[in-house]
Each structure stands twice: as C-alpha cells, then as structure tokens.
Amino acid sequence: MDPSLDEMISLATTYQHFVREDRRVVLLMAGLPHRISALLSGESTSFLRRAARKSLGPIPSYEVEEAFRSTVMDGGKRIDEDALQTAVERIDGFPFMLQLVGYRSWNASHDDGVISIDHVKRGVGLAQEELESRVFDATLSELSQADIEFLLAMSQDEGKTLQANLKTRLAKSPSPMSRFTKSAFWKRVL
C-alpha cells in the first residue's frame, strides 16, 4: 500500500520534531521521482531539500540475475535458465522493473515449482503495463506541452543532442501528442 502524500508529510514533520528535540533518529526514504518532488515541494517539508539524496542507477545485469535467482530459490522454487535470462534482459537494470517482473512472474507460476519462460513472459507483460500506468503515465500527466515537445525532439538522437539540432526540431514541431499514443511516446523517449 502506497502511503498518501499527507502521511509522508506527517512522517517527515514528526521526524523533524524528533531532531529538534535532539533525539537519536534516522529517516531513510525511497520513492519515485514524481512522488519525491511532491513531498519536497511542501512548505512543512522544505528541510528535506537539504537531505542527502542518492539516485539509483541501473542495476548491473549480473546483480539482477543473482537477486532474481536467489529470491526465487529462497521462496522454494526454481527458475529455468531461459526464463531467468529473459527476465534479466527485460528488466534492463531498472530497479522497479526487477520488483514488478519478479512479483508478476512468481504469481504467474501459481503452484508450479519452476518458473518457466511462459511465466516470465506473462510477468513481463503485466509488469510493463503496470510500469506504464503507475510511473510513465503519472510522469507524463505532469509534463507541459513544451516539456513533451522538448523530449520528443531529443529522442530523435541516439546519444547527445546538439543544441542546434534541438532548436531546429523545436521550431518545426507540431503538437506531438496528436501523433503518439502514451505508450508510443514512452517507447520513443526511452
């Protein structure tokens, strides 16, 4: 269950009171960028802006593989090698996808003692849908039309985007959302 923004604000302000009272407390929080931004923008939680922040980068494939395998084994099941490799490829180092693909693949396997390639394929499909609805759509809804145009203009390049190219593309840009579905937008941007 995801806590509400009000609950997070209450937790953070309670923590701040403990700090002011010189109590020995530590607050460790994790969250998706749009949720963190909402929390940090509050007046009563502005002190959190000074807190040390660590962005999680991609998880190396070997760590994804080991975490997936050991979690499955710890749960009393096995996973086919092809299924494991498919999961690792589709997770692509994204921490939230590791959670989603693991959870959905496990559930797809029901009472089977082995997670198969079919279970992982079903799990990946469900995880992708959930990622798009819970993260991508939420992020997209917070973007302005100018933000969307900017991202689409940048997405045309494999690596770095030259400022001159970006300027040219933005000058020619029609309304991008009329050309793309949300899913196509994210596939193109990511």
Side-chain angles (χ1 to χ4, degrees):
M1 180 177 166
D2 287 338
S4 71
L5 181 58
D6 289 340
E7 291 171 320
M8 296 303 297
I9 290 170
S10 178
L11 172 66
T13 54
T14 300
Y15 167 77
Q16 185 179 29
H17 291 299
F18 288 159
V19 169
R20 286 182 183 157
E21 294 171 1
D22 288 328
R23 295 187 187 202
R24 298 183 69 183
V25 294
V26 174
L27 180 63
L28 177 65
M29 302 171 80
L32 297 171
H34 71 280
R35 300 287 300 249
I36 293 170
S37 293
L39 181 62
L40 294 179
S41 66
E43 288 181 29
S44 63
T45 57
S46 62
F47 72 95
L48 289 175
R49 294 181 201 139
R50 297 183 300 275
R53 291 184 9 191
K54 172 76 172 137
S55 293
L56 296 179
I59 302 170
S61 293
Y62 70 91
E63 288 184 19
V64 171
E65 182 176 338
E66 179 56 33
F68 208 99
R69 178 184 285 118
S70 63
T71 302
V72 168
M73 290 175 57
D74 288 349
K77 293 188 181 192
R78 291 184 305 108
I79 184 166
D80 289 337
E81 194 59 33
D82 289 344
L84 179 60
Q85 292 312 310
T86 298
V88 170
E89 287 172 21
R90 295 304 303 268
I91 290 166
D92 196 28
F94 190 20
F96 191 48
M97 276 298 278
L98 174 57
Q99 294 174 342
L100 290 176
V101 170
Y103 177 74
R104 296 299 180 189
S105 298
W106 181 275
N107 285 347
S109 70
H110 302 291
D111 293 331
D112 294 345
V114 178
I115 297 176
S116 70
I117 187 79
D118 289 335
H119 298 139
V120 168
K121 285 180 179 178
R122 269 184 277 168
V124 164
L126 291 169
Q128 187 63 43
E129 288 174 15
E130 192 170 349
L131 178 68
E132 287 180 18
S133 68
R134 289 181 63 190
V135 179
F136 294 168
D137 289 350
T139 302
L140 182 60
S141 70
E142 294 176 359
L143 298 178
S144 70
Q145 187 67 28
D147 293 335
I148 292 168
E149 290 175 13
F150 187 85
L151 287 171
L152 286 170
M154 286 186 66
S155 72
Q156 295 177 32
D157 297 315
E158 287 292 321
K160 293 182 180 180
T161 299
L162 297 176
Q163 189 174 13
N165 293 346
L166 189 57
K167 186 176 179 180
T168 302
R169 290 177 195 148
L170 289 172
K172 296 178 185 177
S173 168
S175 176
M177 290 315 286
S178 63
R179 296 182 293 152
F180 299 101
T181 64
K182 288 180 188 177
S183 180
F185 171 79
W186 285 113
K187 286 177 184 158
R188 182 152 177 217
V189 171
L190 297 175

